[in-house]
mmCIF file of all heavy atoms in Angstrom:
data_model
loop_
_atom_site.group_PDB
_atom_site.id
_atom_site.type_symbol
_atom_site.label_atom_id
_atom_site.label_comp_id
_atom_site.label_asym_id
_atom_site.label_seq_id
_atom_site.Cartn_x
_atom_site.Cartn_y
_atom_site.Cartn_z
ATOM 1 N N HIS A 47 -140.070 -4.205 48.085
ATOM 2 C CA HIS A 47 -140.285 -5.554 48.619
ATOM 3 C C HIS A 47 -141.240 -6.358 47.737
ATOM 4 O O HIS A 47 -141.008 -7.530 47.449
ATOM 5 C CB HIS A 47 -140.819 -5.476 50.041
ATOM 6 C CG HIS A 47 -141.154 -6.813 50.635
ATOM 7 N ND1 HIS A 47 -140.188 -7.714 51.001
ATOM 8 C CD2 HIS A 47 -142.345 -7.411 50.889
ATOM 9 C CE1 HIS A 47 -140.773 -8.808 51.472
ATOM 10 N NE2 HIS A 47 -142.082 -8.641 51.424
ATOM 11 N N HIS A 48 -142.329 -5.726 47.303
ATOM 12 C CA HIS A 48 -143.308 -6.411 46.458
ATOM 13 C C HIS A 48 -142.919 -6.390 44.980
ATOM 14 O O HIS A 48 -143.566 -7.039 44.161
ATOM 15 C CB HIS A 48 -144.700 -5.792 46.633
ATOM 16 C CG HIS A 48 -145.289 -6.070 47.974
ATOM 17 N ND1 HIS A 48 -145.871 -7.265 48.289
ATOM 18 C CD2 HIS A 48 -145.380 -5.311 49.093
ATOM 19 C CE1 HIS A 48 -146.303 -7.236 49.544
ATOM 20 N NE2 HIS A 48 -146.006 -6.048 50.051
ATOM 21 N N ASP A 49 -141.888 -5.620 44.657
ATOM 22 C CA ASP A 49 -141.371 -5.513 43.298
ATOM 23 C C ASP A 49 -142.427 -5.008 42.310
ATOM 24 O O ASP A 49 -142.397 -5.333 41.126
ATOM 25 C CB ASP A 49 -140.787 -6.841 42.827
ATOM 26 C CG ASP A 49 -139.805 -6.667 41.689
ATOM 27 O OD1 ASP A 49 -139.197 -5.584 41.614
ATOM 28 O OD2 ASP A 49 -139.661 -7.591 40.872
ATOM 29 N N ARG A 50 -143.381 -4.235 42.812
ATOM 30 C CA ARG A 50 -144.414 -3.639 41.964
ATOM 31 C C ARG A 50 -145.195 -2.628 42.811
ATOM 32 O O ARG A 50 -145.062 -2.573 44.023
ATOM 33 C CB ARG A 50 -145.372 -4.696 41.417
ATOM 34 C CG ARG A 50 -146.196 -5.398 42.494
ATOM 35 C CD ARG A 50 -147.067 -6.501 41.899
ATOM 36 N NE ARG A 50 -147.884 -7.137 42.895
ATOM 37 C CZ ARG A 50 -147.480 -8.082 43.718
ATOM 38 N NH1 ARG A 50 -146.232 -8.501 43.665
ATOM 39 N NH2 ARG A 50 -148.301 -8.622 44.583
ATOM 40 N N TYR A 51 -146.017 -1.851 42.116
ATOM 41 C CA TYR A 51 -146.909 -0.911 42.792
ATOM 42 C C TYR A 51 -148.322 -1.217 42.321
ATOM 43 O O TYR A 51 -148.749 -0.805 41.252
ATOM 44 C CB TYR A 51 -146.531 0.537 42.467
ATOM 45 C CG TYR A 51 -147.402 1.546 43.167
ATOM 46 C CD1 TYR A 51 -147.344 1.702 44.544
ATOM 47 C CD2 TYR A 51 -148.288 2.332 42.449
ATOM 48 C CE1 TYR A 51 -148.142 2.626 45.184
ATOM 49 C CE2 TYR A 51 -149.090 3.265 43.077
ATOM 50 C CZ TYR A 51 -149.013 3.406 44.445
ATOM 51 O OH TYR A 51 -149.814 4.321 45.087
ATOM 52 N N ASP A 52 -149.041 -1.969 43.131
ATOM 53 C CA ASP A 52 -150.413 -2.339 42.785
ATOM 54 C C ASP A 52 -151.361 -1.805 43.856
ATOM 55 O O ASP A 52 -150.965 -1.037 44.731
ATOM 56 C CB ASP A 52 -150.538 -3.853 42.612
ATOM 57 C CG ASP A 52 -150.139 -4.626 43.852
ATOM 58 O OD1 ASP A 52 -149.742 -3.998 44.861
ATOM 59 O OD2 ASP A 52 -150.234 -5.859 43.834
ATOM 60 N N SER A 53 -152.611 -2.217 43.785
ATOM 61 C CA SER A 53 -153.619 -1.687 44.707
ATOM 62 C C SER A 53 -153.352 -2.089 46.150
ATOM 63 O O SER A 53 -153.629 -1.320 47.075
ATOM 64 C CB SER A 53 -155.010 -2.142 44.286
ATOM 65 O OG SER A 53 -155.113 -3.551 44.336
ATOM 66 N N MET A 54 -152.805 -3.278 46.384
ATOM 67 C CA MET A 54 -152.513 -3.719 47.749
ATOM 68 C C MET A 54 -151.411 -2.849 48.380
ATOM 69 O O MET A 54 -151.521 -2.418 49.532
ATOM 70 C CB MET A 54 -152.076 -5.180 47.761
ATOM 71 C CG MET A 54 -151.842 -5.734 49.150
ATOM 72 S SD MET A 54 -151.237 -7.421 49.130
ATOM 73 C CE MET A 54 -149.534 -7.144 48.720
ATOM 74 N N VAL A 55 -150.369 -2.571 47.619
ATOM 75 C CA VAL A 55 -149.277 -1.726 48.112
ATOM 76 C C VAL A 55 -149.774 -0.294 48.307
ATOM 77 O O VAL A 55 -149.462 0.348 49.314
ATOM 78 C CB VAL A 55 -148.083 -1.784 47.139
ATOM 79 C CG1 VAL A 55 -147.004 -0.802 47.551
ATOM 80 C CG2 VAL A 55 -147.519 -3.189 47.063
ATOM 81 N N ALA A 56 -150.568 0.207 47.369
ATOM 82 C CA ALA A 56 -151.111 1.562 47.482
ATOM 83 C C ALA A 56 -151.995 1.704 48.718
ATOM 84 O O ALA A 56 -151.934 2.715 49.422
ATOM 85 C CB ALA A 56 -151.897 1.921 46.227
ATOM 86 N N GLU A 57 -152.795 0.683 48.997
ATOM 87 C CA GLU A 57 -153.672 0.722 50.173
ATOM 88 C C GLU A 57 -152.860 0.722 51.463
ATOM 89 O O GLU A 57 -153.172 1.459 52.406
ATOM 90 C CB GLU A 57 -154.621 -0.471 50.148
ATOM 91 C CG GLU A 57 -155.621 -0.476 51.279
ATOM 92 C CD GLU A 57 -156.564 -1.671 51.191
ATOM 93 O OE1 GLU A 57 -156.956 -2.023 50.067
ATOM 94 O OE2 GLU A 57 -156.871 -2.234 52.256
ATOM 95 N N ALA A 58 -151.810 -0.082 51.522
ATOM 96 C CA ALA A 58 -150.971 -0.127 52.720
ATOM 97 C C ALA A 58 -150.277 1.210 52.955
ATOM 98 O O ALA A 58 -150.186 1.690 54.095
ATOM 99 C CB ALA A 58 -149.942 -1.246 52.593
ATOM 100 N N ILE A 59 -149.800 1.833 51.894
ATOM 101 C CA ILE A 59 -149.136 3.132 52.015
ATOM 102 C C ILE A 59 -150.134 4.203 52.436
ATOM 103 O O ILE A 59 -149.844 5.038 53.299
ATOM 104 C CB ILE A 59 -148.431 3.497 50.693
ATOM 105 C CG1 ILE A 59 -147.272 2.535 50.433
ATOM 106 C CG2 ILE A 59 -147.934 4.934 50.728
ATOM 107 C CD1 ILE A 59 -146.661 2.671 49.055
ATOM 108 N N GLU A 60 -151.326 4.192 51.862
ATOM 109 C CA GLU A 60 -152.343 5.189 52.211
ATOM 110 C C GLU A 60 -152.799 5.045 53.658
ATOM 111 O O GLU A 60 -153.068 6.041 54.329
ATOM 112 C CB GLU A 60 -153.540 5.090 51.269
ATOM 113 C CG GLU A 60 -153.295 5.705 49.917
ATOM 114 C CD GLU A 60 -153.000 7.186 49.982
ATOM 115 O OE1 GLU A 60 -153.632 7.908 50.781
ATOM 116 O OE2 GLU A 60 -152.125 7.623 49.224
ATOM 117 N N GLN A 61 -152.917 3.819 54.152
ATOM 118 C CA GLN A 61 -153.297 3.621 55.550
ATOM 119 C C GLN A 61 -152.266 4.238 56.479
ATOM 120 O O GLN A 61 -152.603 4.870 57.474
ATOM 121 C CB GLN A 61 -153.459 2.140 55.861
ATOM 122 C CG GLN A 61 -154.723 1.529 55.343
ATOM 123 C CD GLN A 61 -154.819 0.052 55.653
ATOM 124 O OE1 GLN A 61 -153.859 -0.576 56.093
ATOM 125 N NE2 GLN A 61 -155.994 -0.517 55.424
ATOM 126 N N LYS A 62 -151.002 4.043 56.167
ATOM 127 C CA LYS A 62 -149.930 4.620 56.986
ATOM 128 C C LYS A 62 -149.928 6.145 56.878
ATOM 129 O O LYS A 62 -149.694 6.833 57.861
ATOM 130 C CB LYS A 62 -148.593 4.048 56.541
ATOM 131 C CG LYS A 62 -147.438 4.461 57.369
ATOM 132 C CD LYS A 62 -146.991 3.316 58.214
ATOM 133 C CE LYS A 62 -145.686 3.688 58.885
ATOM 134 N NZ LYS A 62 -145.327 2.764 59.902
ATOM 135 N N ALA A 63 -150.219 6.673 55.693
ATOM 136 C CA ALA A 63 -150.242 8.128 55.496
ATOM 137 C C ALA A 63 -151.415 8.762 56.225
ATOM 138 O O ALA A 63 -151.283 9.831 56.817
ATOM 139 C CB ALA A 63 -150.299 8.465 54.017
ATOM 140 N N ASN A 64 -152.582 8.122 56.200
ATOM 141 C CA ASN A 64 -153.756 8.671 56.869
ATOM 142 C C ASN A 64 -153.603 8.659 58.374
ATOM 143 O O ASN A 64 -154.151 9.512 59.067
ATOM 144 C CB ASN A 64 -155.016 7.904 56.461
ATOM 145 C CG ASN A 64 -155.393 8.167 55.021
ATOM 146 O OD1 ASN A 64 -155.013 9.176 54.441
ATOM 147 N ND2 ASN A 64 -156.135 7.240 54.430
ATOM 148 N N ALA A 65 -152.851 7.703 58.912
ATOM 149 C CA ALA A 65 -152.647 7.633 60.353
ATOM 150 C C ALA A 65 -151.782 8.787 60.854
ATOM 151 O O ALA A 65 -151.889 9.182 62.007
ATOM 152 C CB ALA A 65 -152.011 6.302 60.728
ATOM 153 N N SER A 66 -150.955 9.340 59.998
ATOM 154 C CA SER A 66 -150.044 10.401 60.432
ATOM 155 C C SER A 66 -150.335 11.760 59.787
ATOM 156 O O SER A 66 -149.532 12.671 59.895
ATOM 157 C CB SER A 66 -148.603 9.991 60.138
ATOM 158 O OG SER A 66 -148.442 9.714 58.769
ATOM 159 N N ASP A 67 -151.445 11.909 59.101
ATOM 160 C CA ASP A 67 -151.851 13.182 58.472
ATOM 161 C C ASP A 67 -150.804 13.728 57.496
ATOM 162 O O ASP A 67 -150.508 14.911 57.489
ATOM 163 C CB ASP A 67 -152.180 14.233 59.530
ATOM 164 C CG ASP A 67 -153.405 13.864 60.335
ATOM 165 O OD1 ASP A 67 -154.276 13.164 59.781
ATOM 166 O OD2 ASP A 67 -153.493 14.276 61.504
ATOM 167 N N LEU A 68 -150.266 12.847 56.682
ATOM 168 C CA LEU A 68 -149.313 13.231 55.645
ATOM 169 C C LEU A 68 -149.909 12.857 54.292
ATOM 170 O O LEU A 68 -150.731 11.960 54.201
ATOM 171 C CB LEU A 68 -147.974 12.506 55.836
ATOM 172 C CG LEU A 68 -147.271 12.729 57.175
ATOM 173 C CD1 LEU A 68 -146.110 11.781 57.309
ATOM 174 C CD2 LEU A 68 -146.805 14.160 57.300
ATOM 175 N N ALA A 69 -149.487 13.547 53.250
ATOM 176 C CA ALA A 69 -149.962 13.242 51.898
ATOM 177 C C ALA A 69 -148.835 12.558 51.140
ATOM 178 O O ALA A 69 -147.709 13.061 51.107
ATOM 179 C CB ALA A 69 -150.387 14.508 51.189
ATOM 180 N N VAL A 70 -149.144 11.417 50.541
ATOM 181 C CA VAL A 70 -148.142 10.677 49.775
ATOM 182 C C VAL A 70 -148.692 10.406 48.384
ATOM 183 O O VAL A 70 -149.882 10.150 48.217
ATOM 184 C CB VAL A 70 -147.743 9.366 50.492
ATOM 185 C CG1 VAL A 70 -148.912 8.426 50.631
ATOM 186 C CG2 VAL A 70 -146.588 8.683 49.795
ATOM 187 N N SER A 71 -147.825 10.523 47.397
ATOM 188 C CA SER A 71 -148.224 10.183 46.030
ATOM 189 C C SER A 71 -147.069 9.427 45.377
ATOM 190 O O SER A 71 -145.905 9.744 45.586
ATOM 191 C CB SER A 71 -148.572 11.429 45.225
ATOM 192 O OG SER A 71 -147.437 12.240 45.055
ATOM 193 N N VAL A 72 -147.433 8.416 44.595
ATOM 194 C CA VAL A 72 -146.460 7.593 43.893
ATOM 195 C C VAL A 72 -146.717 7.746 42.401
ATOM 196 O O VAL A 72 -147.841 7.559 41.941
ATOM 197 C CB VAL A 72 -146.567 6.117 44.319
ATOM 198 C CG1 VAL A 72 -145.569 5.262 43.575
ATOM 199 C CG2 VAL A 72 -146.378 5.977 45.826
ATOM 200 N N THR A 73 -145.687 8.107 41.665
ATOM 201 C CA THR A 73 -145.803 8.281 40.225
ATOM 202 C C THR A 73 -144.803 7.386 39.517
ATOM 203 O O THR A 73 -143.730 7.113 40.045
ATOM 204 C CB THR A 73 -145.538 9.746 39.822
ATOM 205 O OG1 THR A 73 -144.242 10.131 40.292
ATOM 206 C CG2 THR A 73 -146.587 10.664 40.387
ATOM 207 N N GLU A 74 -145.184 6.937 38.347
ATOM 208 C CA GLU A 74 -144.290 6.092 37.560
ATOM 209 C C GLU A 74 -143.400 6.987 36.705
ATOM 210 O O GLU A 74 -143.875 7.832 35.957
ATOM 211 C CB GLU A 74 -145.098 5.148 36.679
ATOM 212 C CG GLU A 74 -144.253 4.097 36.016
ATOM 213 C CD GLU A 74 -145.094 3.043 35.321
ATOM 214 O OE1 GLU A 74 -146.306 2.948 35.607
ATOM 215 O OE2 GLU A 74 -144.524 2.316 34.503
ATOM 216 N N VAL A 75 -142.097 6.801 36.843
ATOM 217 C CA VAL A 75 -141.118 7.595 36.103
ATOM 218 C C VAL A 75 -140.244 6.623 35.323
ATOM 219 O O VAL A 75 -139.263 6.104 35.826
ATOM 220 C CB VAL A 75 -140.244 8.442 37.053
ATOM 221 C CG1 VAL A 75 -139.259 9.285 36.268
ATOM 222 C CG2 VAL A 75 -141.094 9.298 37.957
ATOM 223 N N GLY A 76 -140.631 6.364 34.084
ATOM 224 C CA GLY A 76 -139.877 5.408 33.273
ATOM 225 C C GLY A 76 -139.934 4.011 33.860
ATOM 226 O O GLY A 76 -141.009 3.436 34.026
ATOM 227 N N ASP A 77 -138.774 3.465 34.188
ATOM 228 C CA ASP A 77 -138.699 2.134 34.790
ATOM 229 C C ASP A 77 -138.719 2.175 36.308
ATOM 230 O O ASP A 77 -138.572 1.144 36.963
ATOM 231 C CB ASP A 77 -137.417 1.425 34.337
ATOM 232 C CG ASP A 77 -137.464 1.062 32.863
ATOM 233 O OD1 ASP A 77 -138.588 1.025 32.314
ATOM 234 O OD2 ASP A 77 -136.394 0.817 32.282
ATOM 235 N N THR A 78 -138.868 3.329 36.892
ATOM 236 C CA THR A 78 -138.832 3.471 38.340
ATOM 237 C C THR A 78 -140.108 4.151 38.836
ATOM 238 O O THR A 78 -140.959 4.561 38.054
ATOM 239 C CB THR A 78 -137.613 4.309 38.769
ATOM 240 O OG1 THR A 78 -137.722 5.606 38.194
ATOM 241 C CG2 THR A 78 -136.307 3.663 38.345
ATOM 242 N N TYR A 79 -140.215 4.277 40.141
ATOM 243 C CA TYR A 79 -141.339 4.974 40.764
ATOM 244 C C TYR A 79 -140.811 6.135 41.592
ATOM 245 O O TYR A 79 -139.788 6.014 42.264
ATOM 246 C CB TYR A 79 -142.134 4.036 41.678
ATOM 247 C CG TYR A 79 -142.897 2.978 40.927
ATOM 248 C CD1 TYR A 79 -142.421 1.675 40.859
ATOM 249 C CD2 TYR A 79 -144.082 3.281 40.285
ATOM 250 C CE1 TYR A 79 -143.124 0.705 40.168
ATOM 251 C CE2 TYR A 79 -144.787 2.319 39.591
ATOM 252 C CZ TYR A 79 -144.302 1.035 39.534
ATOM 253 O OH TYR A 79 -144.997 0.082 38.844
ATOM 254 N N GLY A 80 -141.508 7.232 41.534
ATOM 255 C CA GLY A 80 -141.180 8.386 42.354
ATOM 256 C C GLY A 80 -142.149 8.481 43.521
ATOM 257 O O GLY A 80 -143.359 8.406 43.342
ATOM 258 N N VAL A 81 -141.610 8.606 44.722
ATOM 259 C CA VAL A 81 -142.426 8.713 45.934
ATOM 260 C C VAL A 81 -142.296 10.131 46.461
ATOM 261 O O VAL A 81 -141.203 10.617 46.721
ATOM 262 C CB VAL A 81 -141.961 7.697 47.006
ATOM 263 C CG1 VAL A 81 -142.785 7.858 48.269
ATOM 264 C CG2 VAL A 81 -142.038 6.284 46.482
ATOM 265 N N GLU A 82 -143.440 10.801 46.604
ATOM 266 C CA GLU A 82 -143.468 12.180 47.069
ATOM 267 C C GLU A 82 -144.331 12.282 48.316
ATOM 268 O O GLU A 82 -145.493 11.871 48.312
ATOM 269 C CB GLU A 82 -144.055 13.075 45.973
ATOM 270 C CG GLU A 82 -144.079 14.528 46.313
ATOM 271 C CD GLU A 82 -144.591 15.357 45.149
ATOM 272 O OE1 GLU A 82 -144.031 15.232 44.046
ATOM 273 O OE2 GLU A 82 -145.558 16.106 45.369
ATOM 274 N N VAL A 83 -143.754 12.804 49.391
ATOM 275 C CA VAL A 83 -144.468 12.981 50.655
ATOM 276 C C VAL A 83 -144.539 14.478 50.941
ATOM 277 O O VAL A 83 -143.519 15.166 50.945
ATOM 278 C CB VAL A 83 -143.756 12.249 51.813
ATOM 279 C CG1 VAL A 83 -144.478 12.497 53.123
ATOM 280 C CG2 VAL A 83 -143.660 10.765 51.536
ATOM 281 N N THR A 84 -145.745 14.976 51.167
ATOM 282 C CA THR A 84 -145.960 16.390 51.449
ATOM 283 C C THR A 84 -146.506 16.544 52.861
ATOM 284 O O THR A 84 -147.401 15.808 53.265
ATOM 285 C CB THR A 84 -146.950 17.000 50.448
ATOM 286 O OG1 THR A 84 -146.457 16.770 49.125
ATOM 287 C CG2 THR A 84 -147.113 18.484 50.664
ATOM 288 N N TYR A 85 -145.943 17.494 53.587
ATOM 289 C CA TYR A 85 -146.410 17.759 54.950
ATOM 290 C C TYR A 85 -146.328 19.250 55.218
ATOM 291 O O TYR A 85 -145.618 19.982 54.535
ATOM 292 C CB TYR A 85 -145.596 16.975 55.982
ATOM 293 C CG TYR A 85 -144.135 17.333 56.045
ATOM 294 C CD1 TYR A 85 -143.660 18.231 56.985
ATOM 295 C CD2 TYR A 85 -143.218 16.771 55.166
ATOM 296 C CE1 TYR A 85 -142.326 18.560 57.042
ATOM 297 C CE2 TYR A 85 -141.891 17.089 55.218
ATOM 298 C CZ TYR A 85 -141.445 17.992 56.171
ATOM 299 O OH TYR A 85 -140.121 18.314 56.227
ATOM 300 N N SER A 86 -147.088 19.705 56.191
ATOM 301 C CA SER A 86 -147.080 21.125 56.536
ATOM 302 C C SER A 86 -146.602 21.290 57.971
ATOM 303 O O SER A 86 -146.839 20.440 58.823
ATOM 304 C CB SER A 86 -148.468 21.740 56.374
ATOM 305 O OG SER A 86 -149.368 21.104 57.248
ATOM 306 N N VAL A 87 -145.906 22.393 58.200
ATOM 307 C CA VAL A 87 -145.430 22.738 59.533
ATOM 308 C C VAL A 87 -145.904 24.148 59.843
ATOM 309 O O VAL A 87 -146.117 24.964 58.951
ATOM 310 C CB VAL A 87 -143.890 22.645 59.638
ATOM 311 C CG1 VAL A 87 -143.424 21.222 59.497
ATOM 312 C CG2 VAL A 87 -143.213 23.523 58.621
#
Side-chain angles (χ1 to χ4, degrees):
H47 176 71
H48 291 281
D49 201 27
R50 65 184 182 279
Y51 181 68
D52 59 359
S53 62
M54 184 183 78
V55 174
E57 183 179 321
I59 293 171
E60 283 298 320
Q61 284 179 349
K62 185 107 171 169
N64 290 338
S66 57
D67 294 331
L68 302 170
V70 62
S71 65
V72 179
T73 57
E74 190 171 344
V75 181
D77 291 341
T78 61
Y79 291 102
V81 178
E82 183 176 306
V83 177
T84 304
Y85 63 97
S86 62
V87 293

